[in-house]
Amino acid sequence: MLLVLLVMIVVLAVLGGVHWYVWRRLVRDVTAPGSLARRLGTVAAVALPLGSVAAMASGRAGAPFWLQQTVAWPGFLWLALLLYVTLALLAGELVRPLLRRVLERRAARVPVAAPVPVPEAVPVTVPETAPEPLSETETRTEGGPAAGEEAGPAEEPVSPSGSGSGATATGDFSRRLFVSRIVGGAAAAAAVGTVGYGTYGVLRGPRVKRVTVPLAKLPRAVHGYRIAVVSDIHLGPTLGRAHAQRIVDTINSTQPDLIAVVGDLVDGSVADLGPAAEPLAQLRARHGSYFVTGNHEYFSGADAWVDHVRELGLQPLRNARVEIDGFDLAGVDDVAGENEGQGPDFVRALGDRDRSRAAVLLAHQPVVIHDAVKHGVDLQLSGHTHGGQLWPGNLLAELANPTLAGLEQYGDTQLYVSRGAGAWGPPVRVGAPSDITVVQLASKQA
């Protein structure tokens, strides 16, 4: 408990520091003190992180689903924007001194105005008759001092560039403000463009990816068997029924022999998301559709969801196996189920099978690959990683998973990891496009 508390304190401190840095660069450095723009920017710098906290906590707190949907879009999108505007501003720190140096050099090359030449005095002949004396009023009018007055000090000429120190300070401030606005504006534009394109990619729906996997034990009669693999759909406050319908339509368009839904279908309860999942009843494949739990099912009521997907026509494989023409198809519960006395049971799913037959395993997380190798699995199909979802999150995801995405070999077992069809948290993907993979099994005897 103490460790969790310390981690939370560190995370909050980091988030607070990042928000202060963004406020400083995008608000304080580019606006005038007391201006409306600065006041509005400061309010946004406080309200947006509070919205993100509300988006992350509302579901766990049991808030009404309409409220979850209301706070989810702005709260989660701000997290994505915060990531990329921070990265852009940090990159801008390298550009900032270069821009100032260029501006200073340009200012130094501006020529100073030459002084106006004073004409030489011309001798004037004074007439012999002396002029009449001027009155006091006329004397003052001519600009000279009155009788008895002392002449004031002569005015000093003013340099065309103004006083030296004041002009330098003003010019330096103007250059700093200009650079801050250029860098801040470019960073904001880059972040908005990146997040906008990443959001479009998620809402557009996953693309179909095709992979051929040769299996030594696969009989020739099953050569070319196609399994449509979909993972991490993540129905929730941001991705609902329309998202599910796009995925179902895309899967059905591939005309697969079998459909495998390998976990993380939902982020919420059956009561809230049951209607959003209804399009899954339209899935069509010659040998049916199969489902295994992911870690997010255990945050959302795994047993209730298993019952619900069964009602929709999918067959759950909970540490179980079925025989398909030419190979065995097995599925195990996610490792997150161990906290509820469930979790993967490889002996139950694979222990008594005929090892002369090829075996395909559905398991949400790639980390169980070593158990799959031990039990003679030929191909494991997984998801969970999202391919990192938001660059540079792929660097962290690679550390936590044996395979981030794609097909890799472990001993006699091949592991294929899908990037997933949805998104968790921010409905945004950058550098990790969503996919539905059609895995075509190839017989080495063909």
Side-chain angles (χ1 to χ4, degrees):
M1 184 62 183
L2 179 60
L3 179 60
V4 174
L5 182 60
L6 290 175
V7 171
M8 290 180 62
I9 292 174
V10 171
V11 170
L12 290 175
V14 170
L15 285 176
V18 169
H19 279 90
W20 176 84
Y21 170 71
V22 171
W23 171 83
R24 176 186 173 187
R25 287 307 192 197
L26 292 187
V27 179
R28 193 196 73 174
D29 289 357
V30 301
T31 58
S35 65
L36 178 61
R38 177 169 293 192
R39 290 198 296 269
L40 292 176
T42 302
V43 170
V46 174
L48 288 171
L50 292 178
S52 298
V53 172
M56 292 185 290
S58 59
R60 300 291 180 87
F65 192 61
W66 65 266
L67 180 59
Q68 296 180 42
Q69 292 176 303
T70 301
V71 300
W73 273 100
F76 284 130
L77 282 179
W78 170 243
L79 290 178
L81 284 168
L82 178 66
L83 170 64
Y84 291 109
V85 79
T86 301
L87 292 175
L89 286 172
L90 290 174
E93 299 296 345
L94 302 177
V95 179
R96 190 181 297 269
L98 299 178
L99 283 176
R100 289 191 62 185
R101 183 172 300 177
V102 169
L103 293 175
E104 289 170 358
R105 289 180 177 178
R106 289 183 61 184
R109 288 199 297 266
V110 175
V112 179
V116 179
V118 179
E120 295 181 0
V122 179
V124 178
T125 304
V126 179
E128 295 180 358
T129 306
E132 296 181 2
L134 298 176
S135 67
E136 182 179 349
T137 304
E138 291 174 325
T139 303
R140 290 180 182 274
T141 303
E142 291 296 327
E149 291 184 359
E150 295 183 0
E155 293 185 0
E156 297 181 0
V158 180
S159 169
S161 60
S163 60
S165 60
T168 302
T170 302
D172 187 56
F173 172 77
S174 298
R175 285 190 291 271
R176 286 202 310 269
L177 181 61
F178 178 77
V179 169
S180 294
R181 288 178 173 175
I182 288 293
V183 173
V192 170
T194 300
V195 172
Y197 184 76
T199 304
Y200 165 75
V202 172
L203 298 182
R204 175 194 60 196
R207 292 297 188 239
V208 175
K209 185 177 179 181
R210 300 180 185 273
V211 176
T212 299
V213 180
L215 299 179
K217 300 176 185 177
L218 191 73
R220 179 184 298 179
V222 195
H223 178 75
Y225 193 93
R226 291 171 301 166
I227 303 175
V229 181
V230 60
S231 73
D232 302 281
I233 296 174
H234 285 289
L235 300 177
T238 57
L239 301 175
R241 186 185 182 102
H243 177 62
Q245 189 66 60
R246 282 191 296 268
I247 290 171
V248 168
D249 292 343
T250 302
I251 292 174
N252 287 343
S253 70
T254 67
Q255 299 181 327
D257 297 303
L258 184 146
I259 299 169
V261 182
V262 289
D264 278 8
L265 171 64
V266 292
D267 286 306
S269 67
V270 173
D272 290 335
L273 295 173
E278 286 178 357
L280 296 177
Q282 304 169 22
L283 289 170
R284 296 289 181 267
R286 182 161 60 99
H287 288 144
S289 304
Y290 294 85
F291 170 80
V292 294
T293 58
N295 54 310
H296 282 249
E297 271 71 60
Y298 291 96
F299 306 148
S300 308
D303 292 336
W305 273 110
V306 167
D307 292 339
H308 190 66
V309 298
R310 185 181 285 112
E311 294 172 0
L312 294 174
L314 284 74
Q315 181 174 340
L317 291 176
R318 306 201 69 181
N319 300 318
R321 180 181 75 253
V322 295
E323 291 186 0
I324 307 293
D325 292 344
F327 66 95
D328 294 337
L329 180 70
V332 293
D333 286 349
D334 187 71
V335 294
E338 293 174 349
N339 297 327
E340 300 182 11
Q342 299 175 13
D345 188 337
F346 288 89
V347 174
R348 179 179 168 188
L350 297 162
D352 58 349
R353 75 178 194 87
D354 181 1
R355 290 207 175 193
S356 65
R357 290 169 55 86
V360 176
L361 174 68
L362 309 182
H364 177 63
Q365 297 196 41
V367 293
V368 301
I369 181 60
H370 303 296
D371 292 297
V373 172
K374 188 187 304 181
H375 288 85
V377 171
D378 297 279
L379 172 63
Q380 175 178 320
L381 301 175
S382 298
H384 182 66
T385 68
H386 294 213
Q389 185 169 328
L390 295 171
W391 182 92
N394 58 304
L395 302 177
L396 296 177
E398 281 181 328
L399 297 177
N401 297 277
T403 296
L404 182 66
L407 183 67
E408 290 189 355
Q409 184 89 25
Y410 292 84
D412 294 329
T413 303
Q414 296 181 79
L415 169 64
Y416 180 79
V417 180
S418 168
R419 290 191 179 95
W424 178 76
V428 183
R429 281 178 173 265
V430 176
S434 57
D435 68 63
I436 293 168
T437 305
V438 176
V439 175
Q440 182 167 305
L441 305 181
S443 172
K444 291 188 176 181
Q445 304 170 23

